[in-house]
Amino acid sequence: MFESRPDRSAEVVLVGRSNVGKSTLMRELTGHTFDTGQRPGVTRQPNHYDWTSEDFVITDLPGFGFMSGVPDDVREEIKTDIVRYLEEHAEKILAAVLVVDGKSVIDIIDRHSGPDEIPHDVEMFHFLRELEIPVVVAVNKMDKVDDRDERLNELCDRLGLYPPWKQWQDTIAPITAKRGSIEPLTDAVRDHLHEQQRDDLLQFF
């Protein structure tokens, strides 16, 4: 179980599969580099970036889903820990950023959609909403996507949001973290913070 969380009353979390660019995004948001493994599944504990004076923390949770070389039981354990963490701290989490890879997310979702299977990303999106945590889906690596609007509309469709995606700009944020173009995401997070009367935290986004 993740025991390292600083005792803060306000939190924004990053969740997502391995290799979607969460750590890069975390670095863009905090200006701070974290030790990340070169292989998926190396980050087994959350990375917390803590602003003690503001009673606020940004947390990058470990990646979930398929990871080459990581046994199934370890994968399941990580996912269980993530779910438990989110349930336990739901009341303090002001927004969750679900990071997906814009280039591959539709294929991955479709490959895992079936009568007995809900794709991890879709499941996580709905789980966060059930916990009443505002969710922003950061669609990363958009510089590699040609049919941008079409791809984002398809993602909305898979998540159960009616396209066109542009009506969901507080939920769908196309970004390229590696190039530092994350404004749609920071705008969306700021909207959610403002709605929760936490304008004191806008300075961090």
Side-chain angles (χ1 to χ4, degrees), residues 46-87:
N47 279 316
H48 300 284
Y49 194 72
D50 187 17
W51 282 277
T52 319
S53 57
E54 310 293 336
D55 196 20
F56 173 60
V57 62
I58 295 185
T59 301
D60 174 18
L61 289 166
F64 57 74
F66 175 76
M67 296 170 258
S68 62
V70 178
D72 286 355
D73 57 333
V74 175
R75 285 208 301 263
E76 278 307 308
E77 210 174 286
I78 292 172
K79 196 172 162 213
T80 304
D81 283 349
I82 292 168
V83 164
R84 211 173 285 154
Y85 183 96
L86 293 167
E87 285 176 337

Side-chain angles (χ1 to χ4, degrees), residues 83-141:
V83 164
R84 211 173 285 154
Y85 183 96
L86 293 167
E87 285 176 337
E88 205 172 304
H89 303 295
E91 285 176 15
K92 295 175 178 174
I93 299 173
L94 304 177
V97 178
L98 174 58
V99 188
V100 300
D101 180 329
K103 202 167 158 53
S104 62
V105 64
I106 303 298
D107 294 340
I108 290 173
I109 286 176
D110 289 353
R111 197 181 318 142
H112 292 279
S113 295
D116 311 319
E117 201 175 10
I118 302 172
H120 286 317
D121 297 303
V122 175
E123 186 181 35
M124 184 58 74
F125 178 73
H126 291 293
F127 174 64
L128 288 162
R129 288 186 135 199
E130 275 164 33
L131 293 176
E132 297 182 357
I133 297 172
V135 193
V136 181
V137 182
V139 193
N140 195 17
K141 309 185 188 180

